[in-house]
Amino acid sequence: MKKSNIFAFIEFSKLAEGLRTSSDKGKLKDQLKSQAAYFNIIEPKYFSEDLVEEWENILGSTRKSGARINEEGRIVSNAVTNTIEQMSDVECEVLVDRVNALYDKLKKEFE
């Protein structure tokens, strides 16, 4: 079985750690927004066949609202940040749980 790329592991570790440090559930949305860049830079191609679909599903859920565009047609918030902004606290918790579960699986590939 092909393991995930070390880049995915390192960057995903940073994402998961950034989300795990937020113990206050009410701050999850802010924490997710501060980590939003990772959802754009960690591409599915870096994951093993066993994990790629799960990461693609997570990415899809972080981009479903699309970018926010102002009256002049300029992007004022990318798709990930805009989607997270529109999520409920429960949806944020679910997303963080999904990221953490995937991180645990990814970590096992490198043990």
Side-chain angles (χ1 to χ4, degrees):
M1 177 185 85
K2 174 188 152 257
K3 287 195 314 188
S4 297
N5 185 296
I6 190 70
F7 173 79
F9 178 67
I10 292 169
E11 295 304 312
F12 208 87
S13 297
K14 294 175 190 175
L15 169 62
E17 187 59 35
L19 296 176
R20 287 183 179 182
T21 57
S22 176
S23 58
D24 184 1
K25 297 288 186 194
K27 302 269 185 200
L28 280 181
K29 185 179 287 194
D30 292 335
Q31 213 43 34
L32 279 165
K33 288 192 297 188
S34 74
Q35 302 292 318
Y38 288 108
F39 294 103
N40 290 318
I41 64 170
I42 306 172
E43 295 184 34
K45 69 181 180 182
Y46 297 127
F47 288 86
S48 66
E49 291 176 12
D50 292 342
L51 303 179
V52 68
E53 185 176 345
E54 195 169 346
W55 180 236
E56 287 174 337
N57 289 336
I58 290 171
L59 289 178
S61 71
T62 64
R63 297 175 178 162
K64 64 184 174 190
S65 295
R68 187 168 41 127
I69 300 173
N70 68 9
E71 309 80 40
E72 299 159 359
R74 292 188 175 172
I75 296 174
V76 293
S77 180
N78 70 31
V80 174
T81 305
N82 186 43
T83 300
I84 292 169
E85 184 62 41
Q86 295 180 35
M87 289 179 160
S88 68
D89 289 342
V90 171
E91 289 172 313
C92 289
E93 286 180 41
V94 168
L95 177 58
V96 169
D97 289 345
R98 290 175 68 197
V99 167
N100 287 330
L102 179 57
Y103 175 64
D104 291 339
K105 293 175 187 175
L106 183 60
K107 193 166 54 169
K108 285 182 182 168
E109 286 187 355
F110 286 89
E111 289 177 345

